[in-house]
Amino acid sequence: MGLQQAYEQLGEEAVRSHEAALVTRLLAERDGVLALGGGSFASPGVRAAAKEQGWVALYLRLQPSEAAARLATDPVARPGCDGPNATLALLSRRFAARDEIYATADVVVDCDGLSPVQVVDRVAAAFGAEPAPHPIAWLEGGPSALADMMREVVPSGRLLVVADRKLQGAVEATVSELAARGRVARVVWVEGGEAAKTVSALSGIWTEAFAGPLDRGDTVVTVGGGVVSDLGGFAAATLMRGLPVVHVATTLMGMVDAALGGKTGVDLPAGKNLVGAFHMPSAVIQWGASLATLPDRDFASGLAEVVKCALLSGERALAQLEADAPALCEREAAAVGRAVALATQTKMALVARDPQERGDRALLNLGHTIGHALEAVTGYERYLHGEAVAIGLVAALRFGSALGETEPGLAARVAALLTRLGLPTELPDLPPEIWREALSRDKKRTDDAVRFVLCRRAGQCALKIVELDRVDAWIRRSLSGSMDDV
Ligand SMILES: NC(=O)c1ccc[n+]([C@@H]2O[C@H](COP(=O)([O-])OP(=O)(O)OC[C@H]3O[C@@H](n4cnc5c(N)ncnc54)[C@H](O)[C@@H]3O)[C@@H](O)[C@H]2O)c1
Ligand SMILES: [Zn+2]
């Protein structure tokens, strides 16, 4: 039964009392965020239950005139809202009756004139959270929805779109939609895949950028995976000494990691990501609909970073991810949504605390010391980044166990999860002498030691300086099958 129907058949009082009973039950049984519509909070029973169960009440206050204007474009039928005058009259009556009671909430945020992103920033500030380094939006729709969102996040100027050629159809459709909205967008095509993250691809973007009009009021928009956001982000950081950039992430790796937090760069023959810049995007759009064409191997690669984030976050996140593993393999929307949310929250909390990686942000390198070395010794060809991270995570946990730092069983548990998600977990059989050199090239190295992220248990990870010799010796031992000593 719809709301309108319920009001007509049962009457407002009966609907309200059902609602109050349901909300009171949810307040007792659930935690998280409970969004109360209508007049729920006006019920003394609901307010008392909320207080008793330790909930924090947040009042998002909107003046009746703005609420009425927003409802004017809302297709949902609402009781008592037939036409603008009736709507405004109803909202004004409700506001007069409820504002004083709602204002007893623990936190009150006035939302008039604010975009959703600004409201979130105010709420976060009210709860004492660090301001988000940049807004992030999940987008379900296709090119037309993307064009609408672009108009919102980049209100003026031309767009220089750096896009993965594999997304040509979707990108061209978006450019047409933008043109229909009066926005000029020029596309520079690049290739995806690690082999394309080169200085020559970067210089190609520079050249094409100046083949047409470009000025400081313009914005670079990347559309693609991590390779394209790293490349296009670095181009944006350097074009005219820095243009704003928006990343539209189209791979899971891009959505959960690469597009977030402002690290950009290219690879050199001497190593991965050796040249780059911190350049915070002005927004990140996680383009959910584009995942439909992403190959399974690339999807699984992104999941490796989600497992890493679960380890950084804690037992609850890890257990949820284990429970979600079968649904993730089927790419069920709810499970994918939870995985993206977990990784986004974990990464952004660390980036907000430490944008330039002077401390805690480096925890995101869990699994990457050995992961990056593995990519290097296999010439960036054998493994996708996430696959190398999966092997690196298990190696870091086993190494931690050998040092007596990691709780017993965690490495095996995480290896089992990664295997279920379709990821490799074992170091390949390569000549042992090649590792030392690759490990010593890591940017996180200091003299003869490497900065290693060790994980005691889920949610308890810490940076530790470990002598290169010890890591190298452990790798040699583990490759030869004896893994007990370090
Ligand atoms: N800057 C950071 O903080 C950060 C973090 C993590 C990873 N990275 C980098 O990200 C890169 C890996 O990212 P990635 O896995 O997204 O790589 P990628 O950009 O190469 O994309 C993977 C593959 O998917 C294709 N593709 C992209 N979107 C698609 C779609 N919607 N449908 C079909 N195919 C699509 C690409 O052409 C490519 O072949 C690495 O270079 C890694 O170093 C950077
Ligand atoms: Zn990574």
Side-chain angles (χ1 to χ4, degrees):
M1 190 186 300
L3 191 56
Q4 179 99 42
Q5 235 182 336
Y7 267 69
E8 279 160 14
Q9 290 182 12
L10 306 172
E12 174 162 357
E13 212 164 302
V15 173
R16 294 254 171 250
S17 100
H18 275 298
E19 186 183 28
L22 175 65
V23 170
T24 307
R25 204 182 81 214
L26 291 173
L27 286 168
E29 289 174 0
R30 304 282 176 94
D31 57 12
V33 175
L34 193 57
L36 299 181
S40 271
F41 197 67
S43 147
V46 166
R47 289 204 303 282
K51 200 159 226 110
E52 198 174 302
Q53 306 283 343
W55 287 74
V56 176
L58 165 68
Y59 175 20
L60 300 175
R61 176 157 50 197
L62 199 61
Q63 296 300 321
S65 52
E66 182 156 342
R70 292 190 193 181
L71 281 182
T73 56
D74 186 10
V76 177
R78 286 162 201 279
C81 294
D82 316 310
N85 291 341
T87 305
L88 182 58
L90 176 78
L91 290 172
S92 302
R93 273 202 313 281
R94 295 269 198 244
F95 188 83
R98 291 175 186 165
D99 181 57
E100 207 175 314
I101 301 171
Y102 283 23
T104 62
D106 304 285
V107 178
V108 180
V109 173
D110 282 301
C111 301
D112 297 271
L114 300 185
S115 68
V117 167
Q118 288 169 323
V119 172
V120 171
D121 280 347
R122 298 259 171 114
V123 171
F127 284 94
E130 302 280 351
H134 55 74
I136 303 164
W138 175 264
L139 180 67
E140 271 301 334
S144 153
L146 178 58
D148 282 338
M149 195 175 265
M150 286 309 311
R151 209 168 48 159
E152 217 173 280
V153 296
V154 189
S156 63
R158 285 174 299 242
L159 305 175
L160 182 71
V161 181
V162 177
D164 190 318
R165 201 182 292 280
K166 283 212 184 96
L167 296 156
Q168 192 164 355
V171 171
E172 283 174 350
T174 306
V175 169
S176 311
E177 295 281 351
L178 283 164
R181 291 160 180 75
R183 299 300 299 277
V184 178
R186 195 150 53 88
V187 188
V188 178
W189 298 106
V190 291
E191 308 296 330
E194 195 67 38
K197 216 171 88 176
T198 59
V199 177
S200 98
L202 175 69
S203 125
I205 300 174
W206 286 334
T207 307
E208 287 205 43
F210 289 107
L214 189 73
D215 66 41
R216 285 175 172 251
D218 297 346
T219 298
V220 175
V221 178
T222 72
V223 187
V227 164
V228 178
S229 55
D230 275 7
L231 252 180
F234 192 27
T238 46
L239 283 166
M240 308 180 102
R241 299 204 177 84
L243 293 180
V245 65
V246 171
H247 296 306
V248 180
T250 67
T251 63
L252 188 61
M253 175 64 76
M255 294 173 193
V256 301
D257 197 349
L260 308 172
K263 275 198 196 177
T264 72
V266 294
D267 302 335
L268 295 183
K272 201 174 139 80
N273 299 330
L274 286 183
V275 188
F278 283 100
H279 188 53
M280 227 26 118
S282 36
V284 172
I285 298 173
Q286 296 163 322
W287 197 6
S290 68
L291 288 179
T293 53
L294 189 70
D296 284 343
R297 192 174 166 204
D298 290 293
F299 186 80
S301 173
L303 289 175
E305 304 281 7
V306 178
V307 173
K308 174 193 80 179
C309 287
L311 279 167
L312 292 171
S313 172
E315 176 55 36
R316 190 169 156 164
L318 186 58
Q320 178 70 58
L321 196 55
E322 287 172 320
D324 277 341
L328 279 170
C329 294
E330 298 300 321
R331 303 201 198 181
E332 282 173 21
V336 174
R338 275 193 292 276
V340 172
L342 162 69
T344 305
Q345 283 159 12
T346 307
K347 176 157 186 181
M348 294 315 285
L350 288 167
V351 172
R353 284 216 301 266
D354 174 25
Q356 301 276 325
E357 198 172 307
R358 301 213 160 89
D360 279 358
R361 182 172 177 166
L363 292 175
L364 290 163
N365 289 314
L366 176 61
H368 282 61
T369 306
I370 292 177
H372 279 157
L374 177 58
E375 284 180 276
V377 298
T378 52
Y380 303 99
E381 279 176 357
R382 176 159 169 187
Y383 296 105
L384 296 178
H385 175 64
E387 293 170 342
V389 169
I391 294 171
L393 279 174
V394 175
L397 295 172
R398 288 180 181 155
F399 180 55
S401 306
L403 288 174
E405 298 262 356
T406 300
E407 77 176 359
L410 188 60
R413 181 178 168 198
V414 169
L417 172 60
L418 291 164
T419 304
R420 281 164 76 197
L421 295 173
L423 286 156
T425 58
E426 300 303 318
L427 285 168
D429 199 7
L430 293 167
E433 60 280 2
I434 63 179
W435 287 94
R436 204 189 151 83
E437 155 83 6
L439 284 165
S440 70
R441 271 200 218 139
D442 197 283
K443 288 199 298 306
K444 278 90 196 172
R445 181 182 68 98
T446 47
D447 298 325
D448 279 334
V450 279
R451 220 164 31 141
F452 215 94
V453 185
L454 287 174
C455 184
R456 188 168 291 279
R457 63 174 63 87
Q460 282 184 30
C461 299
L463 287 166
K464 191 166 169 137
I465 307 290
V466 184
E467 301 88 71
L468 196 53
D469 286 342
R470 280 179 111 179
V471 188
D472 184 43
W474 177 80
I475 290 181
R476 285 165 187 263
R477 277 173 213 277
S478 67
L479 287 174
S480 70
S482 86
M483 305 200 298
D484 302 333
D485 316 322
V486 182

